[in-house]
């Protein structure tokens, strides 16, 4: 016989896992299609759910018996939801890494172009010293990581 508290907890875990999987799949699709702005509307919710998922995963690892008494079909549903989540999480990670590489490349290209345009020095003055270009007082910093 199944324990009602265990059933409620297992169903909550399934729902949490499925919703988080749905959000991450949406974000991965947005990153893969080079429209990261479409992922922005789900970032806050996915961060909250990921934090809850992390806490629940740690709790379940510490004490797997919390799901003892859950009906086998519900346990199977949780297993399938977790496998789908793991798959989408890997896809999401690859999409984020690709977006990060593209962003870093763009930042570096822009910085190189700015540096090249600033690279021309002024001519020589009447004293024989180099004249600084008009924008010599403006600095540019580039961190190689976005």
């Amino acid at each position: 016989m199944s324990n009602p508290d265990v059933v409620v907890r297992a169903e909550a875990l399934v729902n949490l896992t499925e919703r988080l999987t749905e959000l991450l799949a949406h974000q991965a699709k947005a990153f893969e299609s080079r429209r990261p702005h479409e992922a922005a509307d789900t970032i806050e919710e996915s961060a909250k759910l990921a934090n809850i998922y992390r806490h629940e995963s740690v709790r379940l690892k510490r004490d797997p018996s919390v799901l003892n008494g859950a009906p086998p079909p519900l346990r199977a549903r949780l297993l399938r939801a977790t496998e789908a989540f793991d798959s989408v999480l890997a896809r999401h990670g690859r999409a984020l890494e690709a977006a990060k590489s593209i962003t870093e490349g763009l930042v570096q290209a822009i910085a190189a172009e700015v540096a090249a345009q600033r690279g021309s020095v002024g001519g020589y003055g009447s004293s024989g010293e180099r004249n600084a270009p008009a924008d010599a007082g403006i600095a540019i910093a580039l961190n190689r990581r976005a």
Side-chain angles (χ1 to χ4, degrees), residues 3-128:
N3 180 337
D5 292 336
V6 171
V7 170
V8 168
R9 183 179 191 135
E11 286 176 348
L13 279 172
V14 169
N15 292 336
L16 169 67
T17 305
E18 289 175 344
R19 178 62 182 151
L20 189 54
T21 300
E22 179 183 308
L23 291 170
L24 292 181
H26 167 74
Q27 291 173 7
K29 184 178 178 182
F31 288 124
E32 290 164 350
S33 60
R34 292 179 174 76
R35 295 190 309 259
H37 59 281
E38 292 179 5
D41 60 337
T42 61
I43 297 288
E44 187 176 333
E45 182 183 1
S46 63
K48 287 178 185 176
L49 293 180
N51 193 37
I52 294 168
Y53 185 86
R54 184 178 57 83
H55 285 294
E56 290 300 318
S57 295
V58 168
R59 186 177 298 157
L60 193 55
K61 265 189 185 169
R62 257 191 271 135
D63 185 13
S65 69
V66 298
L67 291 181
N68 287 351
L74 185 55
R75 292 175 71 96
R77 187 170 161 222
L78 179 58
L79 180 62
R80 283 191 309 274
T82 302
E83 289 170 347
F85 172 73
D86 288 342
S87 176
V88 167
L89 188 60
R91 175 183 168 204
H92 188 269
R94 288 188 302 272
L96 273 179
E97 187 62 36
K100 177 182 165 212
S101 294
I102 290 168
T103 301
E104 287 176 350
L106 286 171
V107 169
Q108 289 177 358
I110 290 168
E113 182 62 27
V114 168
Q117 288 180 8
R118 289 186 181 169
S120 61
V121 293
Y124 288 93
S126 61
S127 65

